[in-house]
PDB file of all heavy atoms in Angstrom:
ATOM      1  N   ARG A1002       0.965   5.661  -0.390  1.00 95.00           N
ATOM      2  CA  ARG A1002       0.184   6.902  -0.396  1.00 95.00           C
ATOM      3  C   ARG A1002       0.488   7.628  -1.708  1.00 95.00           C
ATOM      4  O   ARG A1002       1.630   8.014  -1.975  1.00 95.00           O
ATOM      5  CB  ARG A1002       0.600   7.750   0.814  1.00 95.00           C
ATOM      6  CG  ARG A1002      -0.270   8.933   1.064  1.00 95.00           C
ATOM      7  CD  ARG A1002      -1.121   8.744   2.348  1.00 95.00           C
ATOM      8  NE  ARG A1002      -2.124   9.788   2.444  1.00 95.00           N
ATOM      9  CZ  ARG A1002      -3.424   9.555   2.508  1.00 95.00           C
ATOM     10  NH1 ARG A1002      -3.895   8.331   2.510  1.00 95.00           N
ATOM     11  NH2 ARG A1002      -4.287  10.566   2.585  1.00 95.00           N
ATOM     12  N   GLN A1007      -0.564   9.976  -9.659  1.00 98.00           N
ATOM     13  CA  GLN A1007       0.569   9.059  -9.450  1.00 98.00           C
ATOM     14  C   GLN A1007       0.122   7.603  -9.568  1.00 98.00           C
ATOM     15  O   GLN A1007       0.831   6.772 -10.130  1.00 98.00           O
ATOM     16  CB  GLN A1007       1.193   9.304  -8.076  1.00 98.00           C
ATOM     17  CG  GLN A1007       1.945  10.633  -7.990  1.00 98.00           C
ATOM     18  CD  GLN A1007       2.228  11.050  -6.548  1.00 98.00           C
ATOM     19  OE1 GLN A1007       1.555  10.628  -5.608  1.00 98.00           O
ATOM     20  NE2 GLN A1007       3.234  11.918  -6.385  1.00 98.00           N
ATOM     21  N   ALA A1038       7.347  13.577 -12.981  1.00 98.00           N
ATOM     22  CA  ALA A1038       8.193  12.863 -12.014  1.00 98.00           C
ATOM     23  C   ALA A1038       8.664  11.519 -12.575  1.00 98.00           C
ATOM     24  O   ALA A1038       9.731  11.029 -12.203  1.00 98.00           O
ATOM     25  CB  ALA A1038       7.415  12.658 -10.712  1.00 98.00           C
ATOM     26  N   MET A1080     -13.357  14.536 -28.249  1.00 98.00           N
ATOM     27  CA  MET A1080     -13.997  14.549 -29.574  1.00 98.00           C
ATOM     28  C   MET A1080     -12.953  14.612 -30.678  1.00 98.00           C
ATOM     29  O   MET A1080     -13.096  13.960 -31.714  1.00 98.00           O
ATOM     30  CB  MET A1080     -14.975  15.711 -29.674  1.00 98.00           C
ATOM     31  CG  MET A1080     -16.195  15.486 -28.801  1.00 98.00           C
ATOM     32  SD  MET A1080     -17.359  16.818 -28.981  1.00 98.00           S
ATOM     33  CE  MET A1080     -18.737  16.206 -28.014  1.00 98.00           C
ATOM     34  N   SER A1093      -9.072  -3.169 -35.069  1.00 98.00           N
ATOM     35  CA  SER A1093      -8.818  -4.059 -33.929  1.00 98.00           C
ATOM     36  C   SER A1093      -7.457  -3.773 -33.311  1.00 98.00           C
ATOM     37  O   SER A1093      -6.605  -4.656 -33.185  1.00 98.00           O
ATOM     38  CB  SER A1093      -8.913  -5.531 -34.359  1.00 98.00           C
ATOM     39  OG  SER A1093     -10.154  -5.776 -34.952  1.00 98.00           O
ATOM     40  N   LEU A1097      -5.205   2.483 -25.670  1.00 99.00           N
ATOM     41  CA  LEU A1097      -5.760   2.944 -24.397  1.00 99.00           C
ATOM     42  C   LEU A1097      -5.870   4.455 -24.458  1.00 99.00           C
ATOM     43  O   LEU A1097      -4.880   5.137 -24.738  1.00 99.00           O
ATOM     44  CB  LEU A1097      -4.812   2.545 -23.249  1.00 99.00           C
ATOM     45  CG  LEU A1097      -5.052   3.212 -21.897  1.00 99.00           C
ATOM     46  CD1 LEU A1097      -6.386   2.787 -21.287  1.00 99.00           C
ATOM     47  CD2 LEU A1097      -3.904   2.899 -20.932  1.00 99.00           C
ATOM     48  N   GLY A1109     -22.565  16.089 -14.952  1.00 96.00           N
ATOM     49  CA  GLY A1109     -24.011  15.946 -15.200  1.00 96.00           C
ATOM     50  C   GLY A1109     -24.796  17.197 -14.862  1.00 96.00           C
ATOM     51  O   GLY A1109     -26.007  17.253 -15.077  1.00 96.00           O
ATOM     52  N   GLY A1155      -9.929 -11.479 -26.044  1.00 95.00           N
ATOM     53  CA  GLY A1155     -10.956 -11.290 -27.059  1.00 95.00           C
ATOM     54  C   GLY A1155     -10.424 -10.433 -28.186  1.00 95.00           C
ATOM     55  O   GLY A1155      -9.220 -10.363 -28.435  1.00 95.00           O
ATOM     56  N   ALA A1161     -11.094   3.073 -22.787  1.00 98.00           N
ATOM     57  CA  ALA A1161     -10.862   4.427 -22.275  1.00 98.00           C
ATOM     58  C   ALA A1161     -11.131   4.501 -20.779  1.00 98.00           C
ATOM     59  O   ALA A1161     -12.006   3.803 -20.259  1.00 98.00           O
ATOM     60  CB  ALA A1161     -11.762   5.425 -23.015  1.00 98.00           C
ATOM     61  N   GLU A1163     -11.618   7.636 -17.869  1.00 98.00           N
ATOM     62  CA  GLU A1163     -11.636   9.070 -17.570  1.00 98.00           C
ATOM     63  C   GLU A1163     -11.498   9.260 -16.064  1.00 98.00           C
ATOM     64  O   GLU A1163     -12.057   8.492 -15.271  1.00 98.00           O
ATOM     65  CB  GLU A1163     -12.903   9.747 -18.106  1.00 98.00           C
ATOM     66  CG  GLU A1163     -14.203   9.195 -17.535  1.00 98.00           C
ATOM     67  CD  GLU A1163     -15.436   9.966 -17.999  1.00 98.00           C
ATOM     68  OE1 GLU A1163     -15.514  10.324 -19.189  1.00 98.00           O
ATOM     69  OE2 GLU A1163     -16.314  10.204 -17.146  1.00 98.00           O
ATOM     70  N   VAL A1180      -1.281  -9.434 -11.190  1.00 83.00           N
ATOM     71  CA  VAL A1180      -2.349 -10.080 -11.952  1.00 83.00           C
ATOM     72  C   VAL A1180      -1.737 -11.041 -12.967  1.00 83.00           C
ATOM     73  O   VAL A1180      -0.751 -10.730 -13.620  1.00 83.00           O
ATOM     74  CB  VAL A1180      -3.193  -9.021 -12.691  1.00 83.00           C
ATOM     75  CG1 VAL A1180      -4.362  -9.680 -13.397  1.00 83.00           C
ATOM     76  CG2 VAL A1180      -3.693  -7.974 -11.720  1.00 83.00           C
ATOM     77  N   SER A1204      -8.438 -31.049 -51.754  1.00 92.00           N
ATOM     78  CA  SER A1204      -7.188 -31.157 -52.513  1.00 92.00           C
ATOM     79  C   SER A1204      -6.681 -29.780 -52.940  1.00 92.00           C
ATOM     80  O   SER A1204      -5.528 -29.633 -53.322  1.00 92.00           O
ATOM     81  CB  SER A1204      -7.369 -32.073 -53.719  1.00 92.00           C
ATOM     82  OG  SER A1204      -8.472 -31.642 -54.473  1.00 92.00           O
ATOM     83  N   ALA A1217      -2.897 -11.346 -33.593  1.00 97.00           N
ATOM     84  CA  ALA A1217      -2.610 -12.483 -32.710  1.00 97.00           C
ATOM     85  C   ALA A1217      -1.155 -12.926 -32.808  1.00 97.00           C
ATOM     86  O   ALA A1217      -0.740 -13.850 -32.098  1.00 97.00           O
ATOM     87  CB  ALA A1217      -3.538 -13.644 -33.061  1.00 97.00           C
ATOM     88  N   ALA A1219       0.191 -14.477 -35.395  1.00 98.00           N
ATOM     89  CA  ALA A1219       0.024 -15.870 -35.840  1.00 98.00           C
ATOM     90  C   ALA A1219       0.684 -16.149 -37.197  1.00 98.00           C
ATOM     91  O   ALA A1219       0.345 -17.136 -37.846  1.00 98.00           O
ATOM     92  CB  ALA A1219      -1.466 -16.197 -35.904  1.00 98.00           C
ATOM     93  N   LEU A1226       0.962 -23.732 -41.862  1.00 97.00           N
ATOM     94  CA  LEU A1226      -0.268 -24.397 -42.329  1.00 97.00           C
ATOM     95  C   LEU A1226      -0.377 -24.299 -43.856  1.00 97.00           C
ATOM     96  O   LEU A1226      -0.681 -25.286 -44.532  1.00 97.00           O
ATOM     97  CB  LEU A1226      -1.499 -23.767 -41.670  1.00 97.00           C
ATOM     98  CG  LEU A1226      -2.819 -24.466 -41.988  1.00 97.00           C
ATOM     99  CD1 LEU A1226      -2.828 -25.888 -41.432  1.00 97.00           C
ATOM    100  CD2 LEU A1226      -4.003 -23.691 -41.432  1.00 97.00           C
ATOM    101  N   ALA A1251       1.883 -16.523 -51.480  1.00 98.00           N
ATOM    102  CA  ALA A1251       1.304 -15.245 -51.035  1.00 98.00           C
ATOM    103  C   ALA A1251       0.561 -14.542 -52.170  1.00 98.00           C
ATOM    104  O   ALA A1251       1.083 -14.395 -53.278  1.00 98.00           O
ATOM    105  CB  ALA A1251       2.418 -14.344 -50.502  1.00 98.00           C
ATOM    106  N   TYR A1280     -17.860  -8.210 -52.716  1.00 80.00           N
ATOM    107  CA  TYR A1280     -17.397  -7.676 -54.000  1.00 80.00           C
ATOM    108  C   TYR A1280     -16.975  -8.770 -54.972  1.00 80.00           C
ATOM    109  O   TYR A1280     -17.048  -8.606 -56.173  1.00 80.00           O
ATOM    110  CB  TYR A1280     -16.222  -6.717 -53.799  1.00 80.00           C
ATOM    111  CG  TYR A1280     -16.574  -5.538 -52.944  1.00 80.00           C
ATOM    112  CD1 TYR A1280     -15.906  -5.288 -51.754  1.00 80.00           C
ATOM    113  CD2 TYR A1280     -17.595  -4.667 -53.333  1.00 80.00           C
ATOM    114  CE1 TYR A1280     -16.242  -4.213 -50.960  1.00 80.00           C
ATOM    115  CE2 TYR A1280     -17.934  -3.593 -52.546  1.00 80.00           C
ATOM    116  CZ  TYR A1280     -17.257  -3.370 -51.355  1.00 80.00           C
ATOM    117  OH  TYR A1280     -17.593  -2.310 -50.566  1.00 80.00           O
ATOM    118  N   ARG A1330       0.696 -33.341 -50.278  1.00 76.00           N
ATOM    119  CA  ARG A1330      -0.004 -32.633 -51.339  1.00 76.00           C
ATOM    120  C   ARG A1330       0.771 -32.649 -52.651  1.00 76.00           C
ATOM    121  O   ARG A1330       1.992 -32.718 -52.650  1.00 76.00           O
ATOM    122  CB  ARG A1330      -0.161 -31.161 -50.946  1.00 76.00           C
ATOM    123  CG  ARG A1330      -0.828 -30.956 -49.645  1.00 76.00           C
ATOM    124  CD  ARG A1330      -2.295 -30.717 -49.850  1.00 76.00           C
ATOM    125  NE  ARG A1330      -3.015 -31.220 -48.682  1.00 76.00           N
ATOM    126  CZ  ARG A1330      -4.334 -31.135 -48.588  1.00 76.00           C
ATOM    127  NH1 ARG A1330      -5.031 -30.590 -49.545  1.00 76.00           N
ATOM    128  NH2 ARG A1330      -4.937 -31.609 -47.543  1.00 76.00           N
ATOM    129  N   ALA A1344      -1.742 -11.740 -61.889  1.00 96.00           N
ATOM    130  CA  ALA A1344      -1.969 -10.637 -60.948  1.00 96.00           C
ATOM    131  C   ALA A1344      -0.962  -9.517 -61.210  1.00 96.00           C
ATOM    132  O   ALA A1344      -1.312  -8.333 -61.219  1.00 96.00           O
ATOM    133  CB  ALA A1344      -1.845 -11.138 -59.513  1.00 96.00           C
ATOM    134  N   ALA A1345       0.283  -9.905 -61.469  1.00 96.00           N
ATOM    135  CA  ALA A1345       1.326  -8.903 -61.732  1.00 96.00           C
ATOM    136  C   ALA A1345       1.001  -8.128 -63.001  1.00 96.00           C
ATOM    137  O   ALA A1345       1.178  -6.908 -63.063  1.00 96.00           O
ATOM    138  CB  ALA A1345       2.689  -9.585 -61.842  1.00 96.00           C
ATOM    139  N   ARG A1347      -1.959  -7.514 -64.200  1.00 94.00           N
ATOM    140  CA  ARG A1347      -3.071  -6.623 -63.896  1.00 94.00           C
ATOM    141  C   ARG A1347      -2.559  -5.365 -63.186  1.00 94.00           C
ATOM    142  O   ARG A1347      -2.971  -4.249 -63.475  1.00 94.00           O
ATOM    143  CB  ARG A1347      -4.040  -7.344 -62.950  1.00 94.00           C
ATOM    144  CG  ARG A1347      -5.371  -7.601 -63.554  1.00 94.00           C
ATOM    145  CD  ARG A1347      -6.182  -8.470 -62.615  1.00 94.00           C
ATOM    146  NE  ARG A1347      -6.548  -9.698 -63.302  1.00 94.00           N
ATOM    147  CZ  ARG A1347      -6.806 -10.839 -62.689  1.00 94.00           C
ATOM    148  NH1 ARG A1347      -6.742 -10.935 -61.371  1.00 94.00           N
ATOM    149  NH2 ARG A1347      -7.149 -11.894 -63.395  1.00 94.00           N
ATOM    150  N   MET A1386       1.444  -3.127 -53.525  1.00 98.00           N
ATOM    151  CA  MET A1386       2.759  -2.851 -52.933  1.00 98.00           C
ATOM    152  C   MET A1386       3.278  -4.136 -52.289  1.00 98.00           C
ATOM    153  O   MET A1386       2.615  -4.687 -51.407  1.00 98.00           O
ATOM    154  CB  MET A1386       2.612  -1.755 -51.872  1.00 98.00           C
ATOM    155  CG  MET A1386       3.887  -1.430 -51.118  1.00 98.00           C
ATOM    156  SD  MET A1386       5.051  -0.469 -52.108  1.00 98.00           S
ATOM    157  CE  MET A1386       4.341   1.178 -52.018  1.00 98.00           C
ATOM    158  N   TYR A1405      -5.558  10.043 -41.771  1.00 98.00           N
ATOM    159  CA  TYR A1405      -4.954   9.327 -40.647  1.00 98.00           C
ATOM    160  C   TYR A1405      -3.466   9.044 -40.903  1.00 98.00           C
ATOM    161  O   TYR A1405      -2.700   8.810 -39.985  1.00 98.00           O
ATOM    162  CB  TYR A1405      -5.733   8.033 -40.372  1.00 98.00           C
ATOM    163  CG  TYR A1405      -5.080   6.772 -40.866  1.00 98.00           C
ATOM    164  CD1 TYR A1405      -4.697   5.775 -39.985  1.00 98.00           C
ATOM    165  CD2 TYR A1405      -4.786   6.611 -42.214  1.00 98.00           C
ATOM    166  CE1 TYR A1405      -4.057   4.644 -40.432  1.00 98.00           C
ATOM    167  CE2 TYR A1405      -4.136   5.476 -42.668  1.00 98.00           C
ATOM    168  CZ  TYR A1405      -3.773   4.500 -41.776  1.00 98.00           C
ATOM    169  OH  TYR A1405      -3.118   3.394 -42.219  1.00 98.00           O
ATOM    170  N   GLN A1414       6.677   5.210 -36.291  1.00 99.00           N
ATOM    171  CA  GLN A1414       8.109   5.505 -36.236  1.00 99.00           C
ATOM    172  C   GLN A1414       8.589   5.602 -34.779  1.00 99.00           C
ATOM    173  O   GLN A1414       9.668   5.118 -34.449  1.00 99.00           O
ATOM    174  CB  GLN A1414       8.395   6.818 -36.978  1.00 99.00           C
ATOM    175  CG  GLN A1414       9.854   7.216 -36.996  1.00 99.00           C
ATOM    176  CD  GLN A1414      10.713   6.356 -37.925  1.00 99.00           C
ATOM    177  OE1 GLN A1414      10.781   6.590 -39.103  1.00 99.00           O
ATOM    178  NE2 GLN A1414      11.388   5.361 -37.376  1.00 99.00           N
ATOM    179  N   GLY A1470     -22.683  13.394 -64.045  1.00 87.00           N
ATOM    180  CA  GLY A1470     -22.818  14.004 -65.372  1.00 87.00           C
ATOM    181  C   GLY A1470     -21.609  14.825 -65.764  1.00 87.00           C
ATOM    182  O   GLY A1470     -21.735  15.807 -66.495  1.00 87.00           O
ATOM    183  N   GLY A1499       8.087  11.411 -61.134  1.00 96.00           N
ATOM    184  CA  GLY A1499       8.453  10.192 -61.848  1.00 96.00           C
ATOM    185  C   GLY A1499       9.199   9.218 -60.956  1.00 96.00           C
ATOM    186  O   GLY A1499       9.858   9.611 -59.986  1.00 96.00           O
ATOM    187  N   VAL A1526      -5.112   9.469 -62.520  1.00 93.00           N
ATOM    188  CA  VAL A1526      -4.606   8.096 -62.613  1.00 93.00           C
ATOM    189  C   VAL A1526      -5.791   7.138 -62.736  1.00 93.00           C
ATOM    190  O   VAL A1526      -6.903   7.469 -62.329  1.00 93.00           O
ATOM    191  CB  VAL A1526      -3.743   7.730 -61.375  1.00 93.00           C
ATOM    192  CG1 VAL A1526      -2.568   8.686 -61.227  1.00 93.00           C
ATOM    193  CG2 VAL A1526      -4.585   7.694 -60.109  1.00 93.00           C
ATOM    194  N   TYR A1534     -12.240  -5.230 -59.553  1.00 74.00           N
ATOM    195  CA  TYR A1534     -13.619  -5.717 -59.636  1.00 74.00           C
ATOM    196  C   TYR A1534     -14.195  -5.241 -60.959  1.00 74.00           C
ATOM    197  O   TYR A1534     -14.883  -4.211 -61.010  1.00 74.00           O
ATOM    198  CB  TYR A1534     -14.458  -5.159 -58.484  1.00 74.00           C
ATOM    199  CG  TYR A1534     -13.809  -5.278 -57.138  1.00 74.00           C
ATOM    200  CD1 TYR A1534     -13.578  -4.150 -56.358  1.00 74.00           C
ATOM    201  CD2 TYR A1534     -13.433  -6.524 -56.644  1.00 74.00           C
ATOM    202  CE1 TYR A1534     -12.991  -4.260 -55.111  1.00 74.00           C
ATOM    203  CE2 TYR A1534     -12.841  -6.633 -55.394  1.00 74.00           C
ATOM    204  CZ  TYR A1534     -12.633  -5.503 -54.638  1.00 74.00           C
ATOM    205  OH  TYR A1534     -12.054  -5.596 -53.407  1.00 74.00           O
ATOM    206  N   GLU A1539     -16.262   0.691 -62.874  1.00 62.00           N
ATOM    207  CA  GLU A1539     -15.321   1.832 -62.830  1.00 62.00           C
ATOM    208  C   GLU A1539     -14.187   1.675 -63.809  1.00 62.00           C
ATOM    209  O   GLU A1539     -13.750   0.582 -64.083  1.00 62.00           O
ATOM    210  CB  GLU A1539     -14.751   1.963 -61.422  1.00 62.00           C
ATOM    211  CG  GLU A1539     -15.687   2.733 -60.550  1.00 62.00           C
ATOM    212  CD  GLU A1539     -14.984   3.364 -59.352  1.00 62.00           C
ATOM    213  OE1 GLU A1539     -13.909   3.955 -59.523  1.00 62.00           O
ATOM    214  OE2 GLU A1539     -15.535   3.254 -58.254  1.00 62.00           O
TER     215      GLU A1539
END
Side-chain angles (χ1 to χ4, degrees):
R1002 190 110 190 122
Q1007 289 164 337
M1080 290 182 174
S1093 304
L1097 166 66
E1163 60 175 42
V1180 184
S1204 53
L1226 185 64
Y1280 300 120
R1330 305 265 150 180
R1347 245 173 239 154
M1386 176 75 78
Y1405 103 118
Q1414 181 73 83
V1526 302
Y1534 312 122
E1539 276 203 45

